[in-house]
Amino acid sequence: MTQQQSATLPASKFASLDELDEDAGNVLGIINYTTGAADPDTSRGHLRLDIHMAHGDSDSFSEVWTTDLPVESGESGGIAYAHDGEHLLCAGRIPPGDGYASGTRAAYARTLELMAELGYHHCARMWNFVNRINEDNADGLEIYRDFCKGRAEAFEAHRFNDSSVPAATGIGSLGGGIAFYVLASRTGALTPLENSKQVSAYHYPEQYGPRPPKFARATHLSVPGLDSASGQIYVSGTSSIRGHETLFAGDVEKQTLLALENVAHLIGPDTLSHHRIDQRSTLADLDTIKVYVRNHDDIPAVRRICEEHFSPDAQVAYLNVDVCRADLSVELEGIVR
Ligand code: 3HB
């Protein structure tokens, strides 16, 4: 990738909390995967969001988004944001409650409005961290399904059709209701990618909830006018699902291998050429990878399998949290740069 191309695509990396320079001039946002939750904040001139995803200091880390351009930040209707004219990072939080659909609908609606107001129409990636994800709300609906309902309603109200939904993660967290953050681009060329071996999540049948999870399996973001081989691929949270069904329930090793196979197919030659993207990627090109593991004791086995497939230079974080379906033990995501 040339200097000129990379300057206009988003940059992120993982940093440990003690090596972080929060006041460095070129920060767009810092997402702390940490031991407590806090409302998103922009008091230091960039976006900061603390998500309760770590059990202690040893599994805490920060995801740092940087830019070459001057950053402006603000807050509107409970959504905090930072942007540089090319990329927008924004975040919100829905406090703990008996139900989440209406809070999710309102927060997502405000986020979509804000994106439109600020001129960032290409929504590349959303991350959603849902406390008590597999537990029921006050009406007996699983909280993940409740969240999906509110999200689908917000997308529908804003005429966000299935072909414009972003890549996403919807994963458990250790507290704080629902936290989310979003990456959008002003001029980037965005292509949603689907996996031919999986039913698109937005077409899942009703057995998985009243409204399907609205997300793309990945998005490809490139600089308009330059060849599409220069782009980045944002891979959504990916698990052991074929068609729409969970495979290998109870076998974390097989679930890890199938999740990896799904990602390999998604970023591989068949999928990319089908989407007219002139790029070839393998699991070794994936970076800033998050691997979510339901049972702490499974982490060593999952790590061993992942290390056989990822580049030794890739940044990989292992997080011990619940996954969106009770029969899934592992999920992973990353970015091809
Ligand atoms: C989501 O609902 O946004 C989602 C859930 C997953 C994986 C990816 C996205 O388990």
Side-chain angles (χ1 to χ4, degrees):
M1 203 181 288
T2 67
Q3 282 297 312
Q4 191 197 0
Q5 287 165 335
S6 61
T8 53
L9 286 166
S12 69
K13 66 177 172 52
F14 296 161
S16 63
L17 297 180
D18 53 357
E19 68 189 0
L20 206 60
D21 180 4
E22 278 233 32
D23 296 318
N26 60 341
V27 176
L28 191 60
I30 297 180
I31 312 297
N32 293 314
Y33 288 73
T34 186
T35 51
D39 285 342
D41 162 83
T42 54
S43 57
R44 296 201 192 205
H46 56 255
L47 177 70
R48 176 186 163 145
L49 177 67
D50 286 6
I51 316 169
H52 194 171
M53 295 293 283
H55 296 262
D57 288 347
S58 64
D59 58 340
S60 295
F61 69 98
S62 300
E63 181 182 81
V64 184
W65 291 84
T66 52
T67 171
D68 296 333
L69 303 170
V71 174
E72 283 181 27
S73 63
E75 189 269 330
S76 171
I79 306 300
Y81 62 89
H83 61 132
D84 68 357
E86 193 50 49
H87 303 113
L88 168 73
L89 260 189
C90 58
R93 196 158 81 88
I94 302 138
D98 292 340
Y100 284 99
S102 67
T104 302
R105 184 170 59 238
Y108 256 66
R110 186 63 209 118
T111 302
L112 299 176
E113 281 159 19
L114 187 64
M115 281 169 40
E117 282 163 24
L118 296 172
Y120 295 89
H121 293 281
H122 307 277
C123 188
R125 188 66 168 92
M126 289 185 166
W127 287 263
N128 304 283
F129 304 90
V130 182
N131 183 222
R132 299 173 53 228
I133 189 166
N134 301 131
E135 293 177 34
D136 286 352
N137 71 6
D139 298 326
L141 181 66
E142 189 190 39
I143 287 175
Y144 174 62
R145 297 173 183 207
D146 195 17
F147 157 76
C148 284
K149 183 167 179 285
R151 172 174 57 180
E153 288 168 357
F155 278 156
E156 205 166 80
H158 285 77
R159 299 197 172 75
F160 237 70
N161 59 29
D162 289 344
S163 61
S164 52
V165 292
T169 292
I171 197 76
S173 76
L174 303 173
I178 297 179
F180 67 92
Y181 67 102
V182 179
L183 173 71
S185 155
R186 187 187 295 281
T187 63
L190 196 64
T191 309
L193 307 181
E194 291 301 315
N195 185 333
S196 62
K197 299 182 185 214
Q198 297 182 302
V199 172
S200 294
Y202 46 76
H203 287 153
Y204 279 175
E206 233 180 285
Q207 74 195 76
Y208 300 104
R211 301 301 308 271
K214 298 271 185 174
F215 69 93
R217 295 294 176 191
T219 47
H220 179 268
L221 182 65
S222 69
V223 176
L226 296 175
D227 83 77
S228 68
S230 65
Q232 296 183 349
I233 305 172
Y234 293 87
V235 177
S236 292
T238 303
S239 52
S240 178
I241 293 176
R242 274 288 154 93
H244 57 73
E245 282 167 359
T246 298
L247 296 192
F248 308 125
D251 187 333
V252 73
E253 300 194 3
K254 284 192 176 154
Q255 286 208 339
T256 306
L257 285 166
L258 189 63
L260 288 165
E261 213 178 298
N262 276 331
V263 175
H265 181 65
L266 184 65
I267 64 177
D270 290 356
T271 306
L272 295 188
S273 61
H274 177 77
H275 291 85
R276 296 174 196 280
I277 294 166
D278 186 19
Q279 194 168 328
R280 298 288 166 265
S281 319
T282 71
L283 291 173
D285 297 307
L286 212 56
D287 203 356
T288 49
I289 301 163
K290 292 174 205 136
V291 183
Y292 304 101
V293 184
R294 182 184 290 277
N295 298 314
H296 180 265
D297 290 352
D298 288 336
I299 292 180
V302 172
R303 186 193 296 268
R304 181 182 47 73
I305 295 169
C306 287
E307 282 175 354
E308 284 167 14
H309 294 83
F310 298 150
S311 160
D313 298 328
Q315 291 192 297
V316 189
Y318 294 85
L319 300 103
N320 173 212
V321 288
D322 290 339
V323 182
C324 72
R325 287 187 189 176
D327 55 8
L328 287 171
S329 300
V330 62
E331 179 166 311
L332 56 105
E333 59 165 77
I335 303 176
V336 175
R337 295 182 197 283

